[in-house]
Amino acid sequence: ISDNNNDNNNNNETHYFCVEWNVGSSNNINSVDDWWTHNVDWEIKYENNTHFCFGKILSEDLAEYLRLAHHTQWNSNCSNKFVWAMFNSGWSADINHIAEGIIYAMGDNKPFAIA
């Protein structure tokens, strides 16, 4: 499907692809998770009770940052990783702490691991 709205007034049509939730089959969701793990420059653009739809991230800066993070995490030497100690201080603080660790790991060009 496609959206009739233009991306950033560039006269480019936004193209989506949609997948059924198919709650009865975990294979559908797992295969989509596997796909999304390696296609980080796509995001959920629309969802309802039966489907969810992906579209390309419109911000090229954000898309490039996510591609760099993916490359660092998946195409690096895992024996030389950036290890980040985790402490329990609440959900929001945990997420912020993980995000900070990923930024440091990317700066060192090493995959990220939580200890």
Side-chain angles (χ1 to χ4, degrees):
I1 70 170
S2 62
D3 183 1
N4 291 330
N5 296 323
N6 294 329
D7 298 341
N8 299 331
N9 298 318
N10 290 340
N11 293 323
N12 295 328
E13 195 174 84
T14 304
H15 295 278
Y16 299 131
F17 76 89
C18 299
V19 181
E20 290 183 50
W21 282 110
N22 199 3
V23 177
S25 170
S26 63
N27 289 337
N28 187 38
I29 299 302
N30 290 338
S31 63
V32 172
D33 285 348
D34 290 343
W35 176 86
W36 200 11
T37 296
H38 299 289
N39 291 276
V40 296
D41 52 355
W42 290 73
E43 64 185 347
I44 302 273
K45 296 287 189 175
Y46 173 78
E47 64 182 292
N48 62 22
N49 291 336
T50 61
H51 291 81
F52 55 103
C53 301
F54 289 92
K56 284 287 213 173
I57 292 175
L58 298 180
S59 167
E60 187 52 39
D61 289 339
L62 175 58
E64 182 59 31
Y65 179 80
L66 293 172
R67 286 189 293 266
L68 176 62
H70 178 271
H71 180 79
T72 302
Q73 193 68 13
W74 288 89
N75 299 312
S76 300
N77 180 355
C78 289
S79 64
N80 184 21
K81 60 188 164 286
F82 183 90
V83 178
W84 192 251
M86 192 67 192
F87 52 87
N88 186 0
S89 61
W91 180 251
S92 178
D94 289 349
I95 297 299
N96 285 325
H97 188 69
I98 291 170
E100 184 179 12
I102 292 170
I103 290 168
Y104 281 114
M106 286 174 61
D108 285 351
N109 199 30
K110 296 178 180 176
F112 175 71
I114 296 173

